[in-house]
Amino acid sequence: MGACPLCDGTEAPVLFAAPDRLHETPGEFTYRRCAACRTVYQDPRVVGEDLPLCYPGEYGTHVTPPPVSADGATRAGLRELRGAVQAAVQGRPAAGGLGWAGRLLAGNRAVRERAFGGLRDELLPRRPGTPRALDVGCGAGELLARLRLAGYDAQGVEWDPAAAEVGRRTSGCPVQTGDFRAVDLPAGSFDLVVLSHVFEHLDDPRGALRRIHELLAPGGRAVLLYPNPESLGARVFGSAWFNWDPPRHLVIPPGRALAAAARRAGLAVVRLSSAAPNVVSDFRHSRAVRAGLTGERLRRPPRAVWDAVGARAEGALRSAGMLAGEEVVLVLQREG
């Protein structure tokens, strides 16, 4: 590589070298940590034409997800209340007592998410109308289906043809095949661009940020979700942290470093935080990596009480305002 792909820093000592324990791709893969911005990146990097070998048929994006449907609200009154919450979130509150109840309930994140079929809060449509959403790296289409259910005019991009076909079938949304930086997409037209555990697979983070800026409509938002290289799990397990996932993860920046790069690309930072949606599972899998498990045994590791203990410790750090969660959550906005 010769330099950090995020900041061009040239001082980057080796952090670790490891094999692909999950899917057992041949070889050992070396990762460095940039001394300037602390981005962790693969160096030397798998060449582009060999990347498909790192994503075998059992990789998660190829697996058909369960059907996505609206949650609960089978009775008319509950449907009306759900609609009132949705209206409050979108800035078009209903009138009367129902509108008051909707505004009150919309103050609770869990209620907001449930009202939109389980879509996470950062992705909710917060404007009236039918906003346009682009799911980059949509895989088998589960998130794409949730975006459509929440009221978006949603479409996806997926570089793997087999996963793209599954995504079209399961989401009912259009999915283009290819790299989102190169496929034909209308510039300045998306109200939401989401990369959910995709950014770490890209070889050019700065080019990706510029492309996101190009695709967003003025006032549109991008949501980037990816593994946090400065999480408690990464610190505790070191090279055995499951979310390094060599060789598939190429560039993993700390949240603050990526936020700074986003600003340089012309994007405003709305929110930077960390989350831990699967922290118990992450700790369990990391413990299995440290124990030397591979393949199917690593995909289904045994449970232990220490996984829940680690999850509680990470939760306490997050509650104290530290960016210690297993997942970086970066919300960006194109101004203008």
Side-chain angles (χ1 to χ4, degrees), residues 252-290:
I252 314 174
R256 290 186 179 89
L258 189 57
R263 292 187 188 99
R264 293 192 292 271
L267 294 163
V269 176
V270 176
R271 186 187 316 148
L272 170 60
S273 61
S274 69
N278 303 300
V279 60
V280 174
S281 174
D282 289 339
F283 273 64
R284 183 166 70 247
H285 283 83
S286 296
R287 186 171 44 78
V289 171
R290 190 166 60 185

Side-chain angles (χ1 to χ4, degrees), residues 28-201:
E28 186 172 70
F29 306 93
T30 301
Y31 286 76
R32 298 179 181 272
R33 171 170 275 153
C34 176
C37 72
R38 295 186 60 79
T39 291
V40 176
Y41 60 96
Q42 190 184 103
D43 181 23
R45 180 184 292 164
V46 176
V47 295
E49 56 265 33
D50 283 347
L51 278 174
L53 301 175
C54 303
Y55 296 86
E58 67 269 21
Y59 189 68
T61 58
H62 297 76
V63 179
T64 301
V68 172
S69 60
D71 186 30
T74 55
R75 291 164 47 191
L78 290 177
R79 288 197 300 271
E80 291 177 359
L81 192 57
R82 184 181 66 190
V85 173
Q86 292 174 337
V89 170
Q90 293 179 298
R92 49 177 184 85
L98 187 61
W100 177 86
R103 290 191 297 272
L104 179 65
L105 290 170
N108 181 278
R109 175 177 178 134
V111 172
R112 292 194 300 270
E113 292 179 338
R114 184 165 183 175
F116 284 91
L119 189 66
R120 63 187 296 162
D121 194 53
E122 293 84 5
L123 305 179
L124 298 185
R126 299 183 185 274
R127 297 179 181 178
T130 306
R132 297 190 69 189
L134 178 68
D135 183 3
V136 176
C138 64
E142 181 176 6
L143 176 57
L144 196 55
R146 292 192 184 279
L147 291 169
R148 188 186 70 166
L149 183 66
Y152 284 101
D153 175 8
Q155 67 182 89
V157 178
E158 170 57 44
W159 74 274
D160 183 279
E165 179 56 36
V166 177
R168 293 185 196 101
R169 185 173 66 250
T170 59
S171 71
C173 298
V175 177
Q176 292 197 60
T177 302
D179 187 325
F180 92 108
R181 294 164 293 186
V183 299
D184 185 19
L185 293 165
S189 64
F190 292 100
D191 301 288
L192 173 70
V193 174
V194 56
L195 286 79
S196 178
H197 290 268
V198 169
F199 200 85
E200 66 274 21
H201 296 262

Side-chain angles (χ1 to χ4, degrees), residues 220-231:
R221 291 189 174 189
V223 179
L224 278 53
L225 312 167
Y226 66 93
N228 181 8
E230 299 195 331
S231 68

